[in-house]
């Protein structure tokens, strides 16, 4: 596997996490009637870094990341883009506050 392909997979994963996750509630800037900040999701991904190592040309890359919502509002995975043969699947697509899920990534 070339460095370019590994880099593309790493960018794909970062894009999934940055662009694919969002709120399922109202705007994050609003405050409650008491003046406290509005509930917001907060995503934690484990591992935060992953090295696919050396992969034979034409070999597949696959890894399962753990997603956890450390926030106080539901977190919704909204979009799962495809980039250079890499796909991702979040299970479940919505994480309640305190809930855990998985992001299954595969690049062929």
């Amino acid at each position: 596997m070339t460095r370019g392909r590994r880099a593309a997979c790493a960018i794909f994963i970062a894009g999934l996490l940055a662009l694919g996750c969002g709120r399922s509630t109202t705007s994050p800037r609003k405050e409650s009637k008491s003046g406290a900040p509005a509930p917001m999701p907060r995503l934690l991904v484990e591992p935060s870094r992953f090295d696919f190592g050396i992969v034979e040309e034409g070999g597949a890359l696959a890894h399962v990341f753990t997603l956890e919502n450390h926030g106080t509002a539901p977190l919704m995975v909204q979009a799962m883009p495809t980039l250079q043969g890499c796909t991702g699947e979040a299970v479940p697509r919505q994480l309640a506050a305190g809930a855990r899920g998985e992001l299954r990534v595969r690049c062929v």
Side-chain angles (χ1 to χ4, degrees):
M1 160 160 277
T2 65
R3 286 184 183 187
R5 177 120 182 249
R6 276 199 340 204
C9 192
I11 291 168
F12 169 77
I13 294 166
L16 283 178
L17 299 175
L19 300 174
C21 298
R23 294 177 53 86
S24 62
T25 59
T26 59
S27 171
R29 299 286 181 211
K30 290 189 175 185
E31 294 182 351
S32 67
K33 290 181 181 180
S34 67
M40 292 187 60
R42 193 178 96 198
L43 178 63
L44 175 71
V45 179
E46 289 292 332
S48 61
R49 295 179 133 193
F50 183 77
D51 183 353
F52 285 96
I54 298 171
V55 179
E56 295 296 321
E57 187 68 35
L61 302 175
H63 188 71
V64 177
F65 294 85
T66 300
L67 306 177
E68 189 167 355
N69 183 358
H70 279 231
T72 55
L75 181 137
M76 178 68 126
V77 179
Q78 298 173 343
M80 302 302 283
T82 299
L83 174 68
Q84 294 185 3
C86 295
T87 60
E89 176 187 20
V91 179
R93 301 272 308 197
Q94 181 169 334
L95 295 175
R100 297 181 84 152
E102 294 180 339
L103 174 61
R104 301 171 185 165
V105 176
R106 180 166 169 78
C107 299
V108 291

